[in-house]
């Protein structure tokens, strides 16, 4: 899952980025509201973590603009402002949730997972598709009742394919979901991960749609 973090405080930004990466998220970090707007227009983020006091453009203005343009990305506001009227303004501007600084990284991670789950229309934390189950909290996965040993990237790739089962994701779309701005992507990384995943699952579970990309298929 690729997230955009907009935070101008270097200490908070770095610790949030590190903590969320350890929890298996891909995190791009920008310190500026205007830059954030550009990034949102060009990358497929699953969620936005938004500070309110920012250089360039304030978090509230950025959020109001997104919603005006019909962008429904889940937004979690991170802010030191914690009067009731600030919270109400943030939520009224279109925020989905609100966390007041200083916050615990574990709580942030849990709230992100809850928002993503709600967005995907799931109320329980496990992701289930056919014989595959994945737990985004513990990063455990099982296929036909057997535990799967997956690398962090393999887990991300499989999770990306399971976000919308039945739709095809191109190699570029998978790369975008798995790698952040500052991460080098080997040219055949996706193919290698797919190859390894197929050995761990049924060969037909991930189908290659020639010239288009990859999709998951429910193998009976
Ligand atoms: Ca700030």
């Amino acid at each position: 899952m690729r997230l955009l973090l907009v935070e101008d405080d270097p200490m908070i930004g770095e610790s949030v980025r590190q903590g969320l990466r350890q929890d298996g998220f891909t995190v791009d970090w920008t310190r500026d509201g205007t830059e954030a707007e550009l990034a949102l227009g060009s990358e497929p983020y699953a969620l936005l973590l938004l500070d309110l006091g920012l250089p360039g453009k304030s978090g509230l203005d950025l959020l109001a603009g997104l919603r005006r343009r019909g962008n429904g990305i889940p937004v979690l506001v991170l802010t030191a402002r914690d009067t009731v009227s600030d919270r109400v303004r943030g939520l009224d501007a279109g925020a989905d949730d609100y966390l007041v600084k200083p916050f615990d990284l574990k709580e942030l991670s849990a709230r992100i997972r809850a928002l993503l789950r709600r967005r995907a229309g799931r109320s329980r934390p496990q992701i289930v598709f056919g014989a595959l189950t994945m737990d985004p909290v513990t990063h455990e996965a099982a296929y036909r009742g057997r535990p799967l040993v997956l690398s962090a990237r393999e887990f991300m790739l499989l999770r990306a394919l399971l976000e919308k089962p039945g739709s095809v994701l191109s190699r570029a779309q998978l790369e975008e979901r798995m790698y952040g701005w500052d991460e080098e992507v080997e040219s055949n990384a996706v193919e290698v991960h797919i190859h390894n995943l197929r050995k761990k699952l049924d060969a037909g579970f991930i189908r290659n749609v020639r010239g288009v990309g990859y999709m998951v298929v429910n193998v009976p």
Side-chain angles (χ1 to χ4, degrees), residues 28-103:
D28 288 337
W29 173 24
T30 171
R31 296 164 173 77
D32 176 288
T34 313
E35 257 180 48
E37 207 155 50
L38 290 174
L40 285 163
S42 62
E43 305 282 357
Y45 293 108
L47 185 138
L48 172 65
L49 292 169
L50 185 63
D51 179 28
L52 293 186
L54 289 168
K57 185 169 216 171
S58 87
L60 275 182
D61 287 348
L62 173 66
L63 179 55
L66 278 177
R67 296 312 191 216
R68 229 180 4 253
R69 290 191 299 278
N71 186 328
I73 184 172
V75 176
L76 202 167
V77 164
L78 307 172
T79 184
R81 303 178 190 174
D82 66 343
T83 66
V84 171
S85 67
D86 283 327
R87 266 177 275 173
V88 169
R89 276 175 65 210
L91 292 167
D92 278 347
D96 297 279
D97 200 1
Y98 213 94
L99 210 48
V100 175
K101 297 171 188 171
F103 49 80

